[in-house]
Amino acid sequence: MTKQEKLALIERAIANIEICCCYFSYDNNYFCYYPNAVNQKFILGQEEFDFLLDGYSIRKMSYLKKVKIQDDKCNEISKELGITAQVQNPEIDISSWENIFHSLKALNDIIIIEDEINEKFAIGIVQKVLKNKLYFLEFDANGVWNDCQLEIPYSTITSVKWNTRYITAWKKYLKLK
C-alpha cells in the first residue's frame, strides 16, 4: 500500500467519520481509530475498543504498514450507539513533534509517551519542549513523581496518548505537579 493510498483512505475516513483499522510495523495487532487529522508525518485519532472511545493518540505515518476502513456490522453498531457522534477533533498541531508537544503542554494534562519498538512507556507531564527532544516528568506505578526529568528524543517515540481511561483513573488518585 503506497503512502498516498494510505493518506487517501484516512482522509476519506475523516470526512465520513469512519473507523480505520491501522497496522503498524512494530505490532502484530491492528489499532482501531476514528482519525481526526493526518499529514505526511503523523496520524491523530480517537482510539476505539469494544464500542468505546478511549482517548486520543498520535502515531508516526512512517510506521503505518496498512490501513483499511472498517466496513462491517461493528461500524453500523457504533453509529447506532452514538459512538461516531462523539468523535471530535482536539485541534492539536501535528506538523512536527515539537509542535505536537507544545500543543499537549498547553493542555497541562497527563500524557503517555511510548516507544513500542523498545517496549518503553512513560506517563506524566511535559516539562520543556525543544527542537529534537523534550523533558518529561513521570510518575511510577505507586503514583510517586520522580525527582528528575526524563530526556526523550523525538526519534524514539512511536505514540503519544492523552485523555484515555487509564489516565483518567490515575488523575483521580494522583497529586498533579
Side-chain angles (χ1 to χ4, degrees), residues 27-128:
D27 200 309
N28 292 328
N29 302 304
Y30 63 86
F31 296 85
C32 292
Y33 290 103
Y34 283 99
N36 303 110
V38 68
N39 61 29
Q40 295 286 329
K41 296 179 183 179
F42 300 101
I43 177 173
L44 160 62
Q46 286 178 265
E47 292 195 30
E48 185 273 347
F49 186 75
D50 290 344
F51 305 108
L52 294 171
L53 294 180
D54 191 19
Y56 294 94
S57 175
I58 298 173
R59 293 179 184 272
K60 290 175 70 173
M61 285 293 290
S62 61
Y63 292 122
L64 183 63
K65 293 188 305 188
K66 181 172 91 171
V67 62
K68 65 180 184 175
I69 293 178
Q70 187 176 0
D71 189 21
D72 59 13
K73 188 70 172 177
C74 291
N75 200 31
E76 182 183 321
I77 292 169
S78 290
K79 286 179 183 172
E80 290 209 15
L81 290 173
I83 304 302
T84 54
Q86 297 172 38
V87 175
Q88 295 180 1
N89 188 340
E91 303 297 334
I92 299 292
D93 181 350
I94 63 168
S95 59
S96 68
W97 278 128
E98 183 179 7
N99 289 334
I100 288 167
F101 285 109
H102 277 299
S103 296
L104 293 173
K105 186 175 185 334
L107 294 177
N108 195 32
D109 206 354
I110 295 172
I111 66 170
I112 294 171
I113 299 175
E114 292 184 271
D115 171 356
E116 287 137 310
I117 295 167
N118 295 302
E119 299 180 358
K120 293 184 178 178
F121 171 96
I123 182 169
I125 52 177
V126 175
Q127 295 292 290
K128 186 175 183 182

